[in-house]
Amino acid sequence: MTPLAADTPICVVGAGILGASAALHLVRAGARNVTLIDAGDPLSGTTPAGAGFVAAFAADTNRRFHRGCVPLEIYGIEFYRSLHEAGHDLDFAANGNLVLALTEESLDRLRAGIMEHPDRLPGTRVLDPAQIQEMTSGAVDADKIAGGIFMAEGIQLTTGKAVVAILDDLAGAGVSVRHNTRVTGIRTQDGAVTGVETADGAIPAQAVVIACGAWSNEVLATVGWRLPLVPVVATRFVTRDVGLSPTMPTVQCPDLGLWIRELDGAYSWGVGTAYRRASLLQDDGVDPSAIGRPHSPSLIEMQRGSQPDVAEVFPALNGEEPELITQGMPCYSADGNLYVGPVPSCRGVWLIGGDNESGVTHGPGMGRLVAELMMGDEPLTDPAPFRLDRTTPQDFPDEEAAVRAMAEDRIATAMG
Ligand SMILES: Cc1cc2nc3c(=O)[nH]c(=O)nc-3n(C[C@H](O)[C@H](O)[C@H](O)COP(=O)(O)OP(=O)(O)OC[C@H]3O[C@@H](n4cnc5c(N)ncnc54)[C@H](O)[C@@H]3O)c2cc1C
């Protein structure tokens, strides 16, 4: 593919963590004519709902990510650290990520998946219950767990603040950012892109990056392609300040489907058992095609129902009402992996997506990878596993076909 010249007009569509990262890395790779467009207000998409866990999640065979994601994850950690060190306020903390096991059997599974992984990072180690209780300053009841694996390189941050930091850097670099501008189609001529259509008129472009999160297929359809992506509604509760230590690592517990962390002394948490495919929640008031953050009362009740089980392990959560509830729509792909690459049906159109609820972790690396491919730079990881043409629209003509492919997956319960 011919590398783009520095003055090529490029539109990045979608200003969540993926699109903002792509725009920033295009500029860093030398692009001088980048426009970032978003349908909503700043921070109105899925990203600010994110819990802010970033770690080498692909270095674990219990998860679905392929090994090619590990360099993206390591880069994501470096990227956020560099924003923090440059003075941006991200609530950045390098506390590590802890994966808890409630039973010996689960601990064996985690050991096999993480400790024996060829890409295990150097700081990864097994902890016993007493060490975990100490590391979490007593937040975890040692009597309720079998142990866990600590991934020391993991970090945490406030996701909305990370986007604000990137938007600040983009403004400093002279990038035009247009919010409240919905892209309704992609203009083409002779099989190549010539611009994007918006309600306010067309914007010329010789290259376009689609980074529309849960709504990517709508824009992609205008150039005749479709990906097997399934938007899922996920919920995050934040309690009042219950005096948690700011040094507590982010914690995941596959036995409970739980992720939980400290945020200003409070718990910020959610459970995968209370996730549902967005298209199944229409009777609950969720419109999957509405761009923005959904509201699903039934999932909120489901998460409340799981709280007593979580409080068995994290006693301070017992009886705590959420002071803040945020919901968002991460987008799962049929094979559980990310998409970064050119759209096969139209020259000059690229896509990054299929975040699989890991866009905060992988977004900076995905943005860098697409920028490197577009500008002809050496890619930070082999792009082949991320290609869009690993599936065709005929393989997955509708959402049901994608859902069928996920029947054995750990996200299967959310699919209904
Ligand atoms: C509760 C919860 C917890 C999570 N926790 C984590 C975590 O700890 N770690 C992690 O890595 N990930 C986490 N995630 C996942 C993470 O938040 C997502 O993967 C990530 O935010 C996706 O980013 P995005 O840029 O693709 O999507 P978005 O942030 O939704 O950005 C897409 C943007 O595209 C715009 N758009 C859509 N259509 C159009 C159009 N036609 N024209 C113009 N603009 C358009 C939208 O307005 C939106 O701003 C979590 C998600 C949730 C909901």
Side-chain angles (χ1 to χ4, degrees), residues 13-19 37-41 44-54 57 159 181-184 211-216 218-219 232-236 259 275 291-292 326-331 352-353 355-362:
V13 188
I17 190 68
L18 266 62
I37 307 169
D38 197 282
D41 289 327
S44 57
T46 303
T47 300
F53 292 46
V54 181
F57 297 125
T159 53
T181 306
R182 183 173 186 152
V183 168
T184 52
C212 295
W215 307 276
S216 291
E218 282 174 33
V219 179
V232 165
V233 179
T235 305
R236 179 162 67 92
W259 45 265
Y275 288 13
I291 300 176
T326 317
Q327 295 182 299
M329 282 209 284
C331 204
I352 52 177
D355 62 271
N356 287 279
E357 208 190 347
S358 66
V360 178
T361 301
H362 292 118

Side-chain angles (χ1 to χ4, degrees), residues 166-250:
I166 298 172
L167 292 178
D168 281 353
D169 282 1
L170 289 173
V175 170
S176 161
V177 181
R178 297 173 62 160
H179 280 99
N180 296 304
T181 306
R182 183 173 186 152
V183 168
T184 52
I186 293 183
R187 292 194 156 199
T188 62
Q189 193 176 350
D190 301 328
V193 67
T194 58
V196 298
E197 287 167 12
T198 78
D200 303 332
I203 303 174
Q206 285 167 25
V208 169
V209 181
I210 301 172
C212 295
W215 307 276
S216 291
N217 263 331
E218 282 174 33
V219 179
L220 199 49
T222 69
V223 286
W225 199 260
R226 179 185 167 82
L227 292 171
L229 300 177
V230 183
V232 165
V233 179
T235 305
R236 179 162 67 92
F237 282 3
V238 182
T239 64
R240 70 186 172 103
D241 181 344
V242 292
L244 294 177
S245 164
T247 63
M248 180 171 144
T250 57

Side-chain angles (χ1 to χ4, degrees), residues 52-115:
F53 292 46
V54 181
F57 297 125
D60 176 359
T61 51
N62 294 302
R63 309 198 197 214
R64 299 194 298 166
F65 300 117
H66 58 71
R67 291 179 63 184
C69 295
V70 176
L72 303 186
E73 295 163 351
I74 293 171
Y75 177 68
I77 293 169
E78 281 168 18
F79 173 81
Y80 292 119
R81 188 185 301 279
S82 70
L83 288 182
H84 165 68
E85 287 174 354
H88 290 292
D89 171 20
L90 310 181
D91 298 334
F92 177 93
N95 294 353
N97 177 255
L98 179 62
V99 192
L100 281 187
L102 301 191
T103 65
E104 288 299 334
E105 199 188 352
S106 306
L107 188 56
D108 287 346
R109 198 166 41 247
L110 291 182
R111 256 201 213 100
I114 304 176
M115 297 310 291

